[in-house]
Amino acid sequence: EVVLTQSPGTLSLSPGESATLSCRASQSIISNYLAWYQQKPGQPPRLLIYGASSRATGIPDRFSGSGSARDFSLTISRLEPEDFAVYSCQQYGYTPHTFGQGTKLEIK
Amino acid sequence: QVQLRESGPGLVKPSETLSLTCIVSGDSISSYYWSWIRQPAGKGLEWIGRLYPSGNTNYNPSLESRVTMSLDTANNQFSLRLRSVTAADTALYYCARYYYDSRGYPDFYFDLWGRGTLVTVSS
């Protein structure tokens, strides 16, 4: 199965700053079939990005995804208080679909 | 507005079978692909399997010998059964819908999730 490794495990930043989260795959992901989710305590994941770089409906443009093959990134510019959460990547190019272990974005 | 709601026992004894149902409201389950995903406390998400509109399935090989997923079109719901559970199966279990594009083709990321249901395996 494709293993997704996210880094860092925890990222401490202040509102207004920018965040870059990484997701590295154990093998190249076909057609950049990679998604990003945001998860807040007590809530299910929320789709942010699909196809590595396409924003889901209703997602602000301060969220952007990039990357290809094995290396992908999620960038959040101008952090808002509501952006502090756990972010997970998911590959859907192969079954079993797999998720990264998550990056916690916390307020510094 | 389509909504998903997981239902089932919150406590299951070791070696017994975990049974959950995802009740879908607002649209027909026959139109989409569906999935079960779980999340142990403090850990990442784990894909359990996928249900096709036809009722066909794909399972995670790590669970395949113990899992069954099925559609119940009459009641617009789908289910998960996980046999011979252990403490390692304790997790928050989510049902989720795969995305469909405007042409009616599925793409295998999740655009809709239930709120999740906590299942604890303990005697």
Side-chain angles (χ1 to χ4, degrees):
Chain A
E1 71 176 41
V2 178
V3 177
L4 300 178
T5 302
Q6 291 187 241
S7 61
T10 302
L11 186 57
S12 300
L13 293 170
S14 300
E17 294 188 297
S18 292
T20 299
L21 288 63
S22 173
C23 177
R24 170 164 282 190
S26 59
Q27 64 187 72
S28 183
I29 296 176
I30 187 171
S31 300
N32 291 339
Y33 284 155
L34 187 108
W36 288 93
Y37 300 87
Q38 176 194 68
Q39 190 172 18
K40 297 180 180 179
Q43 296 184 18
R46 173 195 181 197
L47 177 67
L48 299 174
I49 300 287
Y50 62 92
S53 60
S54 297
R55 269 188 302 277
T57 302
I59 301 303
D61 61 7
R62 63 177 185 276
F63 289 88
S64 62
S66 63
S68 63
R70 293 180 59 202
D71 290 303
F72 300 87
S73 296
L74 174 70
T75 299
I76 313 169
S77 57
R78 306 181 307 279
L79 283 166
E80 300 280 349
E82 62 267 26
D83 298 337
F84 292 91
V86 175
Y87 292 85
S88 299
C89 54
Q90 176 223 344
Q91 67 80 20
Y92 52 98
Y94 308 94
T95 56
H97 300 320
T98 50
F99 294 84
Q101 81 280 16
T103 289
K104 182 180 181 181
L105 178 57
E106 65 177 23
I107 299 177
K108 188 174 182 180
Chain B
Q1 180 183 357
V2 183
Q3 292 186 316
L4 311 182
R5 179 171 61 87
E6 301 87 354
S7 175
L11 181 64
V12 182
K13 289 183 168 55
S15 80
E16 295 192 343
T17 297
L18 178 161
S19 295
L20 296 176
T21 298
C22 182
I23 301 164
V24 180
S25 58
D27 206 341
S28 170
I29 65 166
S30 301
S31 303
Y32 295 92
Y33 286 67
W34 305 94
S35 185
W36 287 97
I37 297 152
R38 68 182 183 178
Q39 186 172 33
K43 295 189 178 181
L45 296 155
E46 179 181 29
W47 182 79
I48 299 172
R50 172 171 67 189
L51 259 172
Y52 292 60
S54 63
N56 289 345
T57 53
N58 294 135
Y59 299 133
N60 191 320
S62 68
L63 298 168
E64 188 164 18
S65 63
R66 300 193 290 131
V67 69
T68 302
M69 295 168 56
S70 59
L71 289 178
D72 177 0
T73 54
N75 292 297
N76 216 46
Q77 60 190 32
F78 60 98
S79 65
L80 168 70
R81 287 172 56 85
L82 183 64
R83 297 175 291 278
S84 305
V85 297
T86 70
D89 295 310
T90 293
L92 186 59
Y93 284 75
Y94 292 104
C95 58
R97 184 184 74 179
Y98 284 104
Y99 172 80
Y100 260 61
D101 67 19
S102 57
R103 301 166 299 167
Y105 292 105
D107 217 343
F108 294 109
Y109 50 89
F110 305 100
D111 70 340
L112 184 66
W113 298 67
R115 295 200 62 84
T117 188
L118 178 63
V119 178
T120 301
V121 178
S122 175
S123 56

